[in-house]
């Protein structure tokens, strides 16, 4: 039996962010991966055992160690590789180990709570005598006696028994009850939510319904490009070394068929697989596609699943009952025992980056996991991220290409409309004359249209024409968006809402008007243009309920509506055979964002949304409306020319020393008082400048940008400042910043400051 345990304490505090040693009492059998309760600075906390040993590290031999208090559960051990993954995640994202542990193994979540336990028997004569001597005490004992296992949370006990503190003390002194600290997990709470949300039925025209599968046979036939891609990945798996492969396939080239065949082969060989999709809303329809072949071996995992269901799902995964995990970003941590393949569909999508600490990218985590397992990461996209494509061009990862659509369908022709000329001809509508004409043609043919605008709401801001006052959110430095639904102005960050003013709050003028356009306004003006045509809208406002997303898409697939208006939610993974026209209302909205990735995002969005047209036997067309018709990102997207766009954009990045030629780590400082966050930002800046004098960083090319206010200086009543560090070597950048943050937390200016650290942020 081991004598000592090294325990990572579950405290998200950088000053205590380390492991501690405790001695193991003789009555406890402690193993690596167990959750235990230990005392840290006179309070009981949860911890994870990461090592057990007979000997203490040097310097601790004469230190009096505290004992491990108790084992939380002995039936749920965190696998050693996931403990290693948590350490790696904390190091690479520069967050606390506690935060990374909760991310890697979410079953750790819970809290220490005080419980009351009944020791005496209610049948004892002394207890029975309390009926007359102290009815309040007897009532309290009765409450405990009725409780499950004769134990109950102290808070619940005090509420149900309705006793005074004096009576509680007397019961404790008499030895009839005792208090005990217990770990309470949210996974013990009840839940009725189903893990897999299926659509009511497979709908006509759905490719899932069109293809027939069986477990023993797969009657579909792969194209030559698909067969080559599958063979190449299988060969990489046979090599038994960690590899990353980029599958660059145009929209409609059948990447999903490749995923399906690869997963079937991996399962036949005794392995497990993870398939990641960018958004939770896509998981059920993708899972349905795979369930037709793999049945109950498929399980959905994402952050929307309730705790109790997640615990059951993880038990099934660890037991080998579920071998294919399909889900959004967090599914990358699924503890499959024989994991061999991780696929990221639409790998370029920003949704794969976590917004909260630890700010990990699912692509990086997938690579680390396959490094541990000697497996393959497959990155699939029609518009790969510049980082992934550059890595393929330099030979750091392999690339497979599928340049043709499956079947007889071809990539749709794209026409660019200069909206400046539309204004000159007197057309002040948001729809160009060309788009109006093509909409009418689709109605006459009985075909469907998708219209894209990446802005929800009716008007994007409300402004006074007299003084220029813009109605803004009182909690965030952002203008309010007007929504006709509810006739209110809303903040898309904190959800503050208020009624639109009849007069300017600043100068009293009645010339206060709505400007800009959102999907609600597109829907309204489209209904005026085509009053008899049924229209659906797909955006965050129309999909707030769990089933709304599937219901809207189901109606459109059944052709109950001729036009679907939506945001980028409809640019991913949708396949409607009757859609022959796609219109982009305003391509400039993403193009003119103050971010070095703006042109890349614009190209990706336009290419992806254009790819929704003509995916079956009927040919498609695309109309892009813009005020920047000659911009390279728009022109290249119109020609489906990814290579041309890549070489132009990569030259721009190299010239200005942007990723992938450099790495950036951004630190966002938050506090509810502006002066405190400014002082903290300046103090952190000084700590970083001090670090430049350290010998190991003195000759390194490092640039410190800031401190400066964030693009949104105030969000949800939190003031925000930022500092960025830029350099060519990511390992040195991390070490430099980590040391600077350690210095910062030793100063009084750090009190109350929240730090959000992001390595290679997707948006500046």
């Amino acid at each position: 039996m081991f004598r000592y345990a090294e325990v990572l304490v579950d405290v998200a505090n950088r000053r205590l962010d380390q492991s501690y040693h405790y001695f193991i009492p003789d009555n406890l059998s402690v193993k690596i991966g167990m959750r235990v309760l230990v005392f840290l600075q006179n309070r009981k906390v949860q911890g994870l055992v990461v090592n057990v040993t007979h000997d203490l590290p040097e310097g601790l031999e004469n230190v009096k160690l505290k004992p491990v208090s108790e084992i939380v559960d002995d039936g749920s051990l965190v696998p050693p590789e996931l403990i290693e993954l948590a350490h790696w995640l904390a190091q690479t994202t520069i967050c606390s180990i506690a935060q990374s542990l909760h991310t890697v193994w979410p079953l750790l979540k819970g809290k220490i709570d005080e419980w009351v336990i009944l020791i005496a028997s209610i049948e004892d004569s002394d207890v029975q005598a309390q009926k007359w001597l102290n009815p309040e005490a007897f009532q309290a004992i009765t409450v405990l006696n009725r409780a499950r296992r004769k134990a109950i949370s102290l808070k619940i006990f005090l509420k149900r028994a309705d006793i005074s503190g004096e009576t509680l003390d007397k019961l404790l002194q008499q030895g009839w009850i005792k208090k005990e600290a217990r770990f309470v997990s949210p996974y013990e709470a009840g839940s009725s939510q189903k893990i897999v949300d299926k659509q009511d039925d497979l709908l006509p025209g759905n490719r899932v319904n069109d293809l027939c599968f069986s477990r023993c046979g797969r009657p579909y036939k792969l194209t030559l490009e698909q067969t080559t891609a599958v063979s190449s990945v299988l060969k990489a798996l046979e090599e038994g070394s960690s590899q990353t492969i980029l599958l660059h396939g145009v929209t409609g080239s059948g990447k999903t068929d490749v995923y399906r065949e690869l997963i079937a082969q991996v399962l036949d060989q005794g392995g497990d697989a993870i398939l990641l999709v960018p958004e939770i809303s896509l998981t059920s329809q993708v899972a349905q596609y795979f369930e037709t072949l793999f049945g109950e071996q498929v399980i959905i995992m994402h952050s929307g699943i309730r705790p109790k269901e997640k615990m059951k799902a993880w038990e099934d995964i660890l037991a080998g009952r579920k071998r294919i995990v399909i889900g959004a970003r967090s599914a990358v941590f699924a503890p499959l025992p024989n994991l061999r393949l991780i696929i990221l569909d639409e790998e370029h999508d920003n949704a794969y980056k976590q917004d909260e600490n630890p700010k990990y990218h699912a692509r990086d985590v997938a690579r680390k996991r396959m490094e541990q397992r000697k497996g393959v990461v497959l990155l699939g996209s029609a518009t790969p991220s510049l980082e992934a494509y550059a890595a393929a061009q330099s030979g750091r990862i392999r690339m497979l290409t599928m340049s043709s659509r499956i079947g007889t369908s071809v990539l749709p022709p794209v026409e660019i409309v200069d909206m400046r000329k539309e204004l000159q001809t007197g057309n002040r509508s948001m729809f160009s004359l060309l788009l109006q004409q093509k909409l009418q043609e689709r109605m006459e043919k009985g075909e469907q249209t998708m219209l894209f605008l990446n802005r929800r709401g009716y008007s994007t801001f409300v402004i006074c024409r007299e003084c220029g006052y813009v109605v803004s959110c009182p909690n965030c430095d952002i203008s309010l968006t007007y929504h006709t639904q509810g006739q209110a102005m809303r903040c898309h960050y904190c959800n503050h809402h208020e009624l639109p003013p009849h007069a300017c709050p600043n100068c009293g003028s009645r010339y206060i008007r709505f400007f800009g356009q959102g999907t609600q306004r597109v829907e309204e003006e489209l209904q005026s243009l085509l009053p008899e045509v049924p229209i659906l809208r797909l955006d965050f406002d129309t999909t707030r309920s769990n089933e709304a997303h599937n219901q809207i898409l189901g109606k459109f697939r059944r052709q109950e509506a001729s036009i679907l208006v939506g945001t980028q939610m409809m640019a991913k993974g949708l396949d409607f055979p009757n859609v022959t026209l796609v219109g982009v209302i305003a391509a400039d909205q993403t193009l003119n964002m103050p971010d070095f990735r703006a042109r890349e995002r614009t190209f990706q969005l336009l290419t992806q949304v254009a790819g929704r047209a003509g995916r079956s036997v009927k040919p498609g067309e695309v109309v892009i409306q813009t005020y920047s018709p000659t911009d390279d990102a728009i022109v290249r997207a119109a020609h489906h020319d990814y290579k041309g766009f890549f070489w132009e954009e990569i030259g721009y990045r190299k010239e200005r020393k942007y990723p992938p030629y450099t790495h950036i780590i951004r630190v966002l400082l938050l506090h509810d008082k502006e002066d405190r966050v400014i002082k903290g930002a300046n103090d952190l800046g000084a700590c970083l400048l001090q670090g430049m004098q350290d010998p190991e960083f003195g000759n390194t090319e490092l640039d410190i940008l800031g401190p400066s206010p964030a693009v949104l200086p105030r969000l949800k009543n939190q003031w925000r400042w930022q500092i960025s560090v830029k350099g060519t070597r990511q390992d040195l950048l991390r070490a430099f910043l980590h040391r600077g943050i350690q210095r910062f937390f030793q100063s009084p200016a750090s009190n109350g400051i929240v730090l959000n650290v992001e390595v290679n942020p997707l948006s500046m």
Side-chain angles (χ1 to χ4, degrees), residues 330-344:
S330 60
V332 75
F333 298 106
L336 289 160
N338 302 302
L339 183 60
R340 298 282 293 129
L341 175 67
I342 301 180
I343 301 170
L344 275 79

Side-chain angles (χ1 to χ4, degrees), residues 55 213 443 475 485 500 757:
D55 304 308
F213 307 111
M443 300 309 106
N475 308 317
Q485 188 176 3
V757 182

Side-chain angles (χ1 to χ4, degrees), residues 68 84 119 144 182 189 263 270 304 316 323 335 362 381 394 434 575 604 606 623 633 695 716 751:
V68 173
E84 178 192 339
I119 298 174
L144 270 176
R182 287 189 177 183
I263 290 173
D316 287 343
R323 299 178 59 196
S381 179
S394 66
L434 177 66
D575 191 345
Q604 289 168 341
L606 294 180
V623 175
K716 299 179 182 178
N751 290 337

Side-chain angles (χ1 to χ4, degrees), residues 8-9 11 17-19 86-87 90 95-102:
L8 281 173
V9 293
V11 180
D17 190 32
Q18 63 184 76
S19 61
H87 277 282
C95 76
S96 74
I97 294 176
Q99 287 172 319
S100 66
L101 278 171
H102 282 304

Side-chain angles (χ1 to χ4, degrees), residues 641-682:
D641 183 10
Y642 180 86
K643 278 188 178 179
F645 171 77
F646 170 80
W647 289 114
E648 283 181 359
E649 186 67 11
I650 207 71
Y652 162 80
R653 299 276 186 91
K654 186 176 183 180
E655 180 184 339
R656 288 162 178 78
K657 295 183 179 179
Y658 283 130
Y661 293 99
T662 58
H663 296 282
I664 299 171
I665 302 181
R666 181 181 62 181
V667 184
L668 193 65
L669 299 91
L670 301 95
H671 199 280
D672 54 7
K673 293 183 180 177
E674 186 178 16
D675 59 332
R676 291 287 301 279
V677 79
I678 292 172
K679 187 178 188 320
N682 285 313

Side-chain angles (χ1 to χ4, degrees), residues 246 347-350 363 367 379 381 383-394 396-397 399 596-604 641-654 658-661 762:
L246 174 63
E347 70 83 24
H348 65 277
D349 201 284
N350 288 357
R363 180 176 57 219
R367 285 174 178 165
L379 309 174
S381 179
T383 55
S385 61
L386 257 72
E387 286 82 357
Y389 199 83
Q393 291 297 316
S394 66
R396 285 181 284 127
I397 66 173
M399 182 166 70
F596 73 89
R597 298 184 194 270
R599 297 177 72 255
E600 179 185 8
R601 285 207 190 91
T602 300
F603 176 86
Q604 289 168 341
D641 183 10
Y642 180 86
K643 278 188 178 179
F645 171 77
F646 170 80
W647 289 114
E648 283 181 359
E649 186 67 11
I650 207 71
Y652 162 80
R653 299 276 186 91
K654 186 176 183 180
Y658 283 130
Y661 293 99
L762 295 182

Side-chain angles (χ1 to χ4, degrees), residues 613-634:
R615 295 176 69 95
S616 188
V617 292
K618 298 178 182 178
E621 291 182 278
V622 181
V623 175
I624 296 177
Q625 300 182 164
T626 176
Y627 290 92
S628 309
T630 59
D631 187 273
D632 288 335
I634 293 175

